[in-house]
Amino acid sequence: MHDLNEALDDLRAVIPYAHGGSVRKLSKIATLLLAKNHIIMQAKAIEELSVLVSQLKKKEGSSENQEASSVSSEESNNS
């Protein structure tokens, strides 16, 4: 049981909102629920960032294609 309590103390030390001078020590279940919710929020944030990166890459690729076709058509007009 000592190892479990020590592990929960370690978890409390790294999850947000679980420590501070005026905050009471979280119960075991509160610690686990807070950790679970924090992990879920982080996973959602990673997914949202992944979608944004994909969208930016698509925009970047399409703008490069447009620039290339503009240069190509300008070269054709100059010939």
Side-chain angles (χ1 to χ4, degrees):
M1 193 64 156
H2 177 70
D3 290 340
L4 177 60
N5 289 332
E6 190 175 313
L8 286 165
D9 286 339
D10 290 345
L11 185 56
R12 286 181 193 105
V14 296
I15 55 177
Y17 316 112
H19 43 45
S22 63
V23 177
R24 205 172 90 186
K25 182 178 173 182
L26 294 171
S27 67
K28 293 173 185 175
I29 190 68
T31 300
L32 293 173
L33 290 171
L34 186 59
K36 180 194 81 158
N37 290 337
H38 181 65
I39 291 167
I40 289 169
M41 286 176 43
Q42 293 298 314
K44 287 180 181 179
I46 289 169
E47 179 62 31
E48 289 173 10
L49 287 172
S50 178
V51 168
L52 288 173
V53 168
S54 295
Q55 290 172 347
L56 287 172
K57 285 182 177 180
K58 286 179 184 178
K59 272 186 180 179
E60 187 178 278
S62 66
S63 67
E64 286 176 359
N65 288 341
Q66 288 175 352
E67 288 175 15
S69 66
S70 292
V71 169
S72 179
S73 64
E74 285 177 17
E75 289 174 354
S76 300
N77 291 339
N78 290 337
S79 298

